[in-house]
């Protein structure tokens, strides 16, 4: 083999190459970003349109449907979903994965721009943005102090927020529970009536004052002077002097009909930390930024900010997502190191020489470090998926080196010199090693080519394994032969002492085992049909266990965090919602595992974040604690709640979601409530809720057109007057010392407390006559929706639940059929399972598994120059499934994407072992050996490397299988599947592959005889 020959003859040259690779690899590792999951640029685009005070029904008709219709014309749109709440319409456009996200954003912007003129004038400019999966809070802070909320909010804006925005990698700083300065002009309706003024006159006068306008320029031959007009108000109290109108020669100013206050904006949310009022800050990193680095920079900035804060004000770190990322990466690194040590120990056990062990062991760090070069070139990051690939590769990376060096040892035993043994052994086994490595590459390359959302996540995993395998192959053909030629000696220098005696005893026992195996193989070959029947029975038995395993897309991980989302009755004030939140907090505080608590409160929702003690310090898992809390919260009336355990790679989505779709919201709501009641009867269902909820009570003032026309009242004036008085309208900006602040006109607070406040309000009629509002309107009571949802241009109500004691898939299948059967859906209404891109991704992985198996067959066919011999090896692949299912069953793990990855890996590993066996048997047959003797000798010679590589892989995966650290639940099922599959497949492959191989050989002989008979007769 050319590579081996060059390496052996030019050791300095090959050493220089690997020194360079190590240096560049270390540099690449230090420059890789660290995140929780791979960066996935998915083509989702959001369109957000706001109109203050507009009901969801109004927005749906006047805004959402227009946006959906326009955006739906763009090519590549798969689904359109919209969520409409009071004042906000949010539409999400899902494009096919082959669409560029940047192109999609531009096309949506163009389409929405084309309908801008059809939208109500009152809406704010639509905000169109690319959906970024990583745009979530990586850091949450709570600012608390003893001062007033106004001063604390100003301090957060001026010091904390501005300081955080200077941190490299920070994309956004979102603040909750704060308020801002606002200038209030509070009208007195009785004074307005006494002066005969309308609200529009007040608004127009204020909008015409406090201005700064450009006035052009004057020029002469040598100079140019700009002109501007200014009437800026520099003091808040000066707003009182703004002239509104003149009546009977008298000036009416703002102070005559209103009070001017330097006040605060209405609060939209409340925050509590450890039960005390606070201002919450969520820090969102820039897309692609290093989570850990950004977190470290934020902490440095917080140290600086702490020195600027007054006494009594402090900033607490509520949540630091980078810590979970660091813990997970460090734990994976630890398992990799432990796996390496165990794998090297297995090598030493079998080879019984420190020189051979060193030669094999050194390939591990070199292969891993060199893989980082490829990761950097591909712009990968250090994340859960890439590090899991490295962890998975520990046993793989040493396999090639083990096989090569074991063969070199065998040639040394023939009396050859180390130089000659290295050359001959590498050349002899080179094609087999190449085929075994390419079989693993063939399995994982399709994983990297999986399409859809799941492909965006798994591309780094698949390609990292592929890179590491190719590097390992290069190391086995270069560094291993070179070091073997230099370090190994022809004489037998084995370890002495107690260790040496143990290793000698182990060698003797293994040689005896190999002899027994060779004899047993001959017996098995005489009972081939019985052997296959037994194996088939084992395979069928293992498949029967699958339904009992359950299925989940990604295994749940215990990160020591809980989130309790609570929906309150509509119509509550923010203060009442805050009091409700305090009661809910008291329930969580009863649990000693709770270390910290952070609560955010909206008008009709509460979110409580709980940080638990480290899982090593508590008896119950986060899931068990959540179940106990669930029982307590079910006793609280007037709420709907859901409890989520923080888990890697998952958000706050419930386990199961059904969608009720149609265009009649009343019918859909009736169906949703009935379905919700049916799910309550299922003992496996938890946290059942529907997305549709009645909103606030609403009083509609219907304009009497005939009466309004007679009195000369404009219908628009009625709406504008009510909006100004009861909601407030921003008429100007006040230039403060540090910022510009809104100037809002509204009614006095004590004059807008109940429906009686509507009396005494006037609008302008004909001939400057003041017309009472109740003279041109009729009152009608109604209820608005709190939230409306749409999917693919139709209405939608979500029915969701968490599941316990049964897999989510089984629960969905059983209840979907039951709901559709018993509810008897009206025409135009359908109840379906929510679209699940993850489920589609699982199917894609199964397809990738099929492609991998096909590629393995093609690799072996190319190596053996035969389409028949690889069939014997292909029959070994199902043998891995037996052990994989048993491994999952014994460990109590569910079927998941991670366990499926383990099965995919097993396909390559089983093929590697079978290739070694069949390749040697073919060599012996080419030398004239009879098939049974060739297989017996192949088993005797190849047993040691097969067992060595399998045990190295098994022991390399043991730390992952039994790890208890943060995030270990994610990759443990993969280890369970691999270990179980390797144990059964290694044992069964040694017998089943020879059986199938002899049967195929018999078929070939029979075919040749029949062909000969036909040719003779011809």
């Amino acid at each position: 083999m050319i590579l081996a020959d060059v390496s052996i003859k030019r050791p300095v040259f090959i050493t220089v190459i690997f020194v360079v690779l190590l240096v560049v690899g270390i540099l690449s590792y230090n420059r890789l970003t660290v995140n929780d999951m791979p960066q996935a640029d998915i083509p989702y685009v959001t369109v957000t349109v706001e109109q203050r005070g507009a009901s969801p029904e109004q927005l749906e008709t006047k805004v959402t449907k227009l946006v959906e219709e326009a955006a739906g014309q763009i090519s590549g749109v798969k689904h359109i979903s919209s969520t409409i709440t009071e004042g906000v319409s949010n539409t999400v456009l899902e494009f096919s994965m082959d669409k560029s996200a940047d192109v999609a954003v531009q096309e949506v912007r163009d389409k929405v721009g084309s309908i801008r003129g059809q939208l109500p004038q009152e809406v704010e400019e639509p905000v169109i943005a690319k959906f970024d999966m990583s745009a979530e809070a990586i850091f949450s802070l709570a600012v608390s102090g003893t001062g007033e909320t106004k001063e604390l909010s100003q301090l957060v804006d001026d010091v904390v927020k501005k300081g955080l925005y200077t941190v490299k990698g920070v994309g956004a700083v979102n603040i909750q529970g704060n308020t801002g300065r606002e200038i209030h002009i509070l009208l007195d309706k009785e004074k307005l009536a006494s002066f005969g003024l309308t609200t529009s006159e007040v608004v127009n006068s204020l909008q015409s004052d406090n201005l700064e306008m450009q006035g052009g320029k004057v020029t002469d031959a040598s100079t140019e002077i700009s002109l501007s007009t200014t009437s800026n108000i520099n003091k808040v109290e000066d707003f009182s002097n703004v002239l509104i109108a003149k009546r009977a020669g008298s000036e009416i100013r703002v102070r005559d009909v209103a009070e001017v206050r330097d006040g605060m904006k209405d609060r939209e949310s409340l925050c509590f930390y450890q039960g005390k009022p606070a201002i919450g800050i969520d820090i969102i990193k820039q897309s692609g930024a290093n989570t850990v680095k950004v977190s470290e920079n934020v902490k440095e900035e917080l140290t600086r900010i702490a020195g600027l804060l007054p006494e009594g004000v402090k900033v607490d770190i509520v949540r630091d997502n980078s810590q979970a990322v660091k813990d997970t990466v460090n734990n994976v690194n630890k398992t990799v190191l432990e796996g390496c040590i165990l794998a090297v120990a297995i090598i030493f056990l079998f080879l019984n020489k420190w020189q051979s062990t060193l030669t094999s062991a050194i390939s591990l760090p070199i292969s891993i470090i060199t893989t980082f070069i490829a990761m950097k070139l591909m712009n990968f990051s250090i994340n859960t998926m890439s590090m899991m690939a490295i962890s998975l590769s520990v046993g793989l990376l040493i396999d090639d080196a083990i096989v090569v060096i074991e063969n070199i040892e065998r040639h040394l035993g023939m009396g050859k010199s180390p130089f000659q043994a290295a050359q001959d052994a590498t050349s002899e086994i080179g094609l087999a090693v190449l085929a075994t490595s390419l079989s693993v590459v063939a399995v994982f390359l399709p994983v990297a080519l999986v399409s859809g959302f799941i492909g965006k996540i798994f591309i780094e995993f698949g390609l990292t394994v592929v890179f590491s395998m190719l590097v390992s192959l290069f190391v086995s053909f270069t560094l291993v032969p070179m070091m073997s030629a230099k370090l190994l000696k022809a004489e037998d220098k084995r370890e002495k002492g107690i260790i040496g005696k143990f290793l000698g005893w182990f060698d003797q026992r293994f040689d005896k085992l190999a002899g027994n195996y060779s004899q047993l193989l001959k017996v098995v070959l005489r009972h081939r049909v019985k052997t296959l029947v037994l194996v088939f029975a084992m395979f069928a038995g293992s498949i029967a266990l699958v339904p009992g395993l359950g299925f989940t897309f990604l295994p749940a991980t215990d990160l020591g965090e809980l989130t309790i989302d609570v929906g309150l009755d509509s119509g509550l004030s923010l203060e009442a919602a805050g009091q409700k939140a305090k009661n809910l907090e008291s329930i969580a505080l009863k649990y000693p595992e709770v270390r910290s608590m952070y609560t955010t409160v909206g008008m009709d929702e509460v979110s409580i974040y709980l940080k638990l003690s480290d899982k090593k310090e508590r008896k119950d898992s986060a899931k068990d604690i959540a179940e106990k809390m669930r029982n307590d919260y079910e006793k609280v009336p007037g709420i709907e709640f859901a409890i989520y355990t923080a888990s890697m790679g998952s958000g706050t989505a419930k386990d199961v979601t059904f969608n009720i779709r149609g265009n009649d919201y009343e019918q859909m709501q009736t169906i949703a409530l009935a379905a919700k009641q049916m799910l309550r009867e299922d003992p496996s269902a938890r946290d059942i809720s529907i997305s549709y909820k009645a909103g606030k009570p609403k009083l509609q003032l219907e304009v009497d057109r005939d009466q309004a026309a007679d009195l000369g009242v404009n219908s628009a004036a009625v709406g504008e007057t009510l909006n100004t008085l009861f909601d407030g309208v921003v008429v100007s900006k006040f230039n403060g010392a540090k910022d510009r602040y809104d100037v809002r006109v509204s009614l006095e607070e004590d004059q807008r407390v109940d429906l009686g406040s509507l009396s005494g309000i006037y609008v302008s009629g004909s001939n400057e006559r003041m017309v009472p509002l109740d003279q041109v309107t009729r009152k009608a009571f109604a209820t608005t929706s709190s939230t409306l949802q749409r999917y693919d241009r139709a209405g939608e109500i979500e029915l969701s639940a968490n599941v316990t004691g049964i897999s989510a898939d089984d629960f969905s299948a059983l209840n979907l059929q039951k709901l559709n059967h018993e509810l008897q859906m009206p025409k135009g209404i359908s109840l379906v399972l929510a679209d699940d891109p993850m489920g589609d991704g699982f199917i894609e992985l199964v397809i990738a598994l099929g492609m991998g198996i096909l590629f393995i067959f093609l690799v072996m066919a190319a190596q053996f120059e035969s389409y028949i011999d690889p069939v014997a090896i292909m029959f070994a692949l199902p043998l891995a499934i037996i052990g994989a299912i048993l491994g999952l069953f014994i460990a109590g793990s569910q079927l998941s994407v991670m366990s499926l990855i383990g099965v995919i890996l097993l396909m390559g590993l089983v093929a590697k072992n079978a290739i070694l066996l069949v390749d040697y048997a073919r060599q012996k047959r080419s030398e004239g050996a009879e098939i049974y003797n060739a297989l017996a000798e192949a088993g005797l010679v190849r047993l040691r490397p097969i067992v060595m590589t399998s045990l190295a892989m098994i022991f390399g995966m043991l730390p992952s299988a039994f790890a208890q650290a943060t995030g270990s639940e994610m990759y443990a099922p993969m280890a369970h599947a691999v270990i179980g599959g390797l144990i059964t497949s290694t044992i069964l492959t040694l017998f089943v592959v020879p059986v199938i191989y002899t049967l195929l050989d018999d078929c070939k002989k029979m075919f040749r005889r029949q062909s000969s008979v036909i040719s003779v007769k011809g």
Side-chain angles (χ1 to χ4, degrees):
M1 179 168 282
I2 296 175
L3 276 177
D5 292 344
V6 171
S7 302
I8 294 169
K9 294 175 181 177
R10 301 192 61 184
V12 174
F13 171 72
I14 206 66
T15 304
V16 168
I17 289 177
F18 279 102
V19 168
V20 171
L21 290 175
L22 284 173
V23 171
V24 177
I26 293 171
L27 290 174
S28 299
Y29 175 80
N30 291 328
R31 294 179 182 179
L32 289 172
T33 58
V34 182
N35 292 311
D36 56 344
M37 296 296 282
Q39 178 73 20
D41 187 16
I42 58 176
Y44 282 42
V45 179
T46 61
V47 181
T48 304
V49 183
E50 296 186 13
Q51 181 182 355
R52 183 183 173 96
S55 68
E57 290 85 357
Q58 290 174 322
L59 283 174
E60 181 187 30
T61 303
K62 298 180 179 179
V63 175
T64 308
K65 288 183 177 180
L66 294 176
V67 171
E68 289 179 347
E69 183 178 351
Q73 302 171 21
I74 301 172
S75 64
V77 173
K78 288 180 62 179
H79 298 292
I80 304 174
S81 57
S82 298
T83 302
I84 314 157
T85 56
E86 182 178 348
V88 181
S89 168
N90 187 65
T91 299
V92 178
L93 304 166
E94 177 189 349
F95 290 84
S96 55
M97 285 296 169
D98 57 354
K99 183 97 172 181
S100 166
D102 293 328
V103 172
V105 168
Q106 187 56 52
E107 291 182 354
V108 172
R109 186 172 285 114
D110 293 342
K111 281 294 182 182
V112 173
S114 68
I115 63 162
R116 181 63 180 88
Q118 302 175 40
L119 301 179
Q121 293 182 352
E122 298 83 6
V123 303
E124 297 183 15
E125 197 63 29
V127 177
I128 300 164
K130 179 174 64 175
F131 180 77
D132 185 2
M133 283 187 61
S134 63
E136 59 181 15
I138 64 166
F139 220 83
S140 294
L141 308 172
V143 183
S144 56
T146 55
E148 294 291 330
T149 304
K150 179 180 178 181
E151 285 74 22
L152 192 60
S153 297
Q154 193 67 45
L155 186 67
V156 169
D157 281 338
D158 293 343
V159 179
V160 182
K161 182 177 179 180
K162 290 182 179 179
L164 291 174
Y165 265 121
T166 64
V167 176
K168 184 179 179 181
V170 170
V173 178
N174 297 333
I175 302 178
Q176 294 177 310
N178 67 321
T179 186
R181 184 183 181 188
E182 189 173 67
I183 310 304
H184 294 162
I185 298 178
L186 304 174
L187 301 175
D188 187 317
K189 64 181 181 181
E190 296 176 356
K191 291 181 179 179
L192 284 174
S194 66
F195 282 108
L197 290 176
T198 62
T199 57
S200 60
E201 288 180 280
V202 178
V203 169
N204 291 336
S205 64
L206 286 166
Q207 288 176 338
S208 301
D209 209 325
N210 192 33
L211 297 174
E212 185 171 348
M213 301 176 62
Q214 293 300 314
K217 58 186 176 181
V218 294
T219 60
D220 58 20
S222 59
T223 59
E224 177 179 289
I225 301 175
S226 298
L227 304 178
S228 66
T229 303
T230 180
S231 63
N232 284 339
I233 294 177
N234 298 318
K235 296 180 181 179
V236 173
E237 53 267 26
D238 289 345
F239 281 101
S240 301
N241 300 322
V242 174
L243 179 66
I244 299 175
K246 287 186 178 182
R247 293 287 190 270
S250 298
E251 295 180 344
I252 304 174
R253 298 185 181 273
V254 169
R255 61 173 174 265
D256 298 320
V257 295
E259 180 184 356
V260 178
R261 292 182 192 167
D262 191 349
M264 297 162 51
K265 290 182 178 180
D266 292 338
R267 299 179 73 174
E268 297 180 351
S269 62
L270 299 174
C271 278
F272 301 97
Y273 179 65
Q274 301 294 62
K276 298 179 181 179
I279 293 177
I281 301 176
D282 290 331
I283 300 171
I284 298 172
K285 72 180 182 70
Q286 293 174 345
S287 179
N290 188 328
T291 299
V292 174
K293 189 65 177 176
V294 172
S295 174
E296 292 173 352
N297 293 340
V298 166
K299 289 177 182 177
E300 291 179 5
E301 179 62 21
L302 288 177
T303 302
R304 187 191 70 83
I305 290 173
L308 304 176
L309 299 177
E311 187 176 353
V313 177
K314 62 177 182 176
V315 180
D316 292 296
I317 297 175
V318 175
R319 173 167 40 196
D320 180 7
N321 288 353
S322 71
Q323 190 59 49
V325 176
K326 287 190 288 187
D327 288 346
T328 301
V329 171
N330 290 338
N331 291 330
V332 173
N333 288 338
K334 181 182 176 184
T335 58
V336 168
L337 179 60
E338 292 170 348
C340 290
I341 293 172
L342 289 173
V344 170
I346 291 297
I347 298 170
F348 184 64
L349 179 65
F350 276 88
L351 297 182
N352 198 359
K353 287 184 180 180
W354 70 264
Q355 297 94 333
S356 302
T357 304
L358 176 64
T359 303
S360 298
I362 203 170
S363 65
L364 265 175
I366 291 176
S367 298
I368 292 173
I369 293 172
T370 306
T371 301
F372 293 132
I373 301 174
M375 290 176 61
K376 181 62 179 175
L377 292 175
M378 293 294 293
N379 201 28
F380 290 173
S381 63
I382 295 175
N383 55 65
T384 303
M385 302 307 295
S386 60
M387 291 308 296
M388 190 168 62
I390 296 294
S391 174
L392 185 70
S393 300
V394 168
L396 293 172
L397 298 180
I398 206 169
D399 274 7
D400 294 339
I402 288 175
V403 173
V404 171
I405 201 166
E406 193 276 337
N407 208 39
I408 293 173
E409 286 277 5
R410 191 169 64 84
H411 278 259
L412 276 173
M414 298 177 185
K416 297 180 182 179
S417 67
F419 188 94
Q420 191 63 41
Q423 280 189 318
D424 293 347
T426 308
S427 179
E428 178 187 71
I429 207 167
L431 284 178
V433 171
L434 178 64
T436 57
S437 296
L438 291 181
S439 66
V440 177
V441 171
V443 166
F444 280 97
L445 192 57
V447 173
L449 300 178
V450 168
S451 61
F453 173 76
I454 196 68
K456 302 279 187 179
I457 301 298
F458 275 89
I459 184 172
E460 293 195 17
F461 176 86
L463 288 183
T464 300
V465 174
V466 169
F467 294 150
S468 62
M469 284 305 303
L470 294 177
V471 171
S472 170
L473 185 63
F474 178 71
V475 171
S476 299
F477 286 160
T478 53
L479 191 64
V480 170
M482 184 272 289
M483 291 187 65
S484 297
K486 294 296 181 183
L487 294 179
L488 299 184
K489 304 299 179 185
E491 60 269 20
D492 189 15
K493 286 189 177 180
R494 296 182 179 269
E495 295 296 323
K496 306 299 181 183
I498 297 176
I499 295 177
K501 290 179 180 178
F502 170 76
L503 294 176
W505 172 85
F506 178 83
D507 263 353
Q508 292 174 2
R509 291 292 179 272
F510 189 85
D511 290 340
K512 185 177 180 180
L513 173 67
N516 293 336
Y517 159 68
S518 183
Q519 295 302 316
L520 182 59
L521 179 58
K522 293 178 181 179
V523 175
V524 168
L525 290 174
R526 290 197 297 269
H527 300 84
R528 295 180 295 181
V529 175
K530 292 180 180 178
T531 301
L532 292 181
V533 169
L534 176 62
V535 171
F536 179 80
M538 294 174 64
F539 180 76
S542 66
I543 296 298
L545 294 175
V546 171
L549 293 177
F551 175 77
T552 182
F553 184 76
L554 286 175
T557 56
D558 187 347
L559 300 181
E561 298 174 4
L562 296 178
T563 300
I564 308 171
D565 287 342
V566 182
L568 306 177
D569 292 333
S570 299
L572 285 179
S573 67
L574 188 61
E575 290 72 21
Q579 186 56 49
K580 193 80 170 179
K582 300 295 290 182
N583 296 335
L584 296 172
E585 284 183 336
S586 63
I587 296 175
L589 286 175
K590 294 190 302 183
Y591 291 84
E593 296 90 350
V594 175
R595 290 290 179 264
S596 64
M597 179 168 57
Y598 173 64
T599 305
T600 57
V601 184
M603 289 295 185
D604 56 0
E605 60 183 7
V606 174
S607 180
I608 303 174
Y609 166 79
L610 303 173
K611 181 65 178 176
L612 307 179
S613 55
D614 190 272
K615 71 178 186 177
K616 296 178 182 177
E617 300 173 3
R618 47 186 161 88
K619 295 187 300 181
D620 295 332
S621 67
K623 191 173 183 179
D624 293 336
I625 296 171
E627 187 64 24
K628 292 180 180 179
M629 286 186 178
R630 191 174 279 116
N631 294 330
D632 289 337
Y633 281 106
E634 284 176 348
K635 301 173 185 176
V636 180
I639 66 169
E640 279 191 349
F641 71 93
I643 303 180
Y644 304 97
T645 56
S647 182
M648 295 172 59
S650 65
T652 53
K654 292 186 182 178
D655 297 334
V656 175
T657 300
F658 300 99
N659 288 335
I660 302 161
R661 294 173 184 161
N663 290 308
D664 188 331
Y665 278 108
E666 289 187 7
Q667 278 192 332
M668 291 162 59
Q669 185 180 11
T670 302
I671 294 293
L673 291 172
K676 178 182 176 182
Q677 188 58 39
M678 288 178 62
L679 287 187
R680 285 189 186 278
E681 298 171 2
D682 192 321
S684 302
R686 300 285 188 275
D687 306 339
I688 308 166
S689 65
I690 59 175
S691 60
Y692 185 90
K693 182 172 66 173
K696 301 176 183 177
K698 178 175 69 172
L699 173 65
Q700 290 182 333
L701 295 179
E702 299 176 353
V703 177
D704 186 330
R705 290 188 178 84
D706 294 335
Q707 188 73 6
D710 291 343
L711 297 174
V713 174
N714 189 333
S715 297
V718 175
E720 290 171 358
T721 299
L722 288 173
N723 184 55
T724 300
L725 294 178
F726 291 94
D727 192 27
V729 61
V730 175
V731 295
S732 185
K733 294 282 187 180
F734 174 69
N735 292 322
K738 298 180 180 179
D739 208 343
R740 287 166 56 84
Y741 306 99
D742 290 341
V743 179
R744 183 177 295 276
V745 175
S746 64
L747 198 61
E748 279 276 10
E749 292 178 4
D750 59 357
Q751 294 184 2
R752 46 187 169 97
V753 293
D754 54 31
L755 295 181
S757 302
L758 291 170
S759 62
I761 294 176
Y762 295 83
V763 292
S764 178
S766 57
N767 301 321
E768 299 183 356
R769 182 171 49 177
M770 301 293 292
V771 179
L773 182 67
D774 54 14
Q775 193 171 340
V776 293
T777 59
R778 294 187 296 269
K779 296 178 182 178
F781 289 92
T783 301
T784 64
S785 301
S786 175
T787 302
L788 293 178
Q789 286 185 301
R790 293 171 57 80
Y791 187 83
D792 285 346
R793 307 190 204 182
E796 179 182 79
I797 295 179
E798 284 187 357
L799 170 65
S800 57
N802 285 321
V803 178
T804 183
I806 186 176
S807 72
D809 278 5
D810 291 342
F811 179 90
S812 301
L814 290 172
N815 282 283
L816 179 63
Q817 183 178 6
K818 179 181 176 182
L819 292 172
N820 276 298
H821 175 71
E822 297 188 15
L823 293 177
Q824 298 180 351
M825 298 296 160
K827 187 177 181 180
I829 306 293
S830 62
L831 189 151
V832 297
L833 275 176
D835 292 336
D836 183 12
M838 299 298 188
D840 295 339
F842 188 81
I843 295 173
E844 288 284 339
L845 283 177
V846 172
I847 294 173
L849 174 60
M851 291 176 60
I853 292 173
L854 173 63
F855 290 164
I856 288 174
F857 176 81
L858 296 176
V859 168
M860 291 186 295
Q863 182 200 0
F864 297 144
E865 195 59 34
S866 169
Y867 288 108
I868 303 298
D869 290 349
V871 175
I873 297 173
M874 300 304 292
F875 269 93
L877 301 186
L879 305 180
I881 297 177
I882 299 173
I885 295 174
L886 286 174
L888 293 172
F889 182 79
I890 293 170
S893 296
Q894 291 180 302
L895 280 175
S896 64
V897 169
M898 293 300 135
S899 56
L900 180 59
I901 289 294
V903 172
I904 292 174
L905 169 64
L906 283 171
M907 298 299 102
L909 292 175
V910 173
K912 289 182 75 169
N913 291 339
I915 287 171
L916 290 174
L917 197 64
V918 173
D919 178 71
Y920 194 84
R922 284 172 55 88
Q923 289 182 31
K924 289 300 166 185
R925 291 196 68 191
S926 65
E927 296 172 4
E930 190 268 334
I931 184 170
Y932 281 60
N933 293 332
L935 286 169
E937 187 174 351
L940 192 63
V941 172
R942 293 298 194 217
L943 181 64
R944 184 178 288 267
I946 288 174
V947 173
M948 281 175 65
T949 54
S950 296
L951 286 179
M953 187 69 194
I954 290 171
F955 277 80
M957 295 298 290
L958 281 177
S960 297
F962 294 102
Q964 297 296 320
T966 302
S968 59
E969 301 93 341
M970 177 69 76
Y971 45 84
M974 178 184 66
H976 298 153
V978 171
I979 292 172
L982 270 178
I983 291 173
T984 59
S985 65
T986 301
I987 296 171
L988 295 176
T989 297
L990 292 170
F991 296 102
V992 174
V993 169
V995 168
I996 299 296
Y997 187 77
T998 57
L999 288 173
L1000 290 173
D1001 188 71
D1002 290 346
C1003 291
K1004 285 193 290 184
K1005 290 177 180 178
M1006 184 185 304
F1007 179 76
R1008 288 169 186 162
R1009 284 197 300 268
Q1010 290 177 350
S1011 299
S1012 300
V1013 171
I1014 293 172
S1015 61
V1016 169
K1017 289 182 179 180

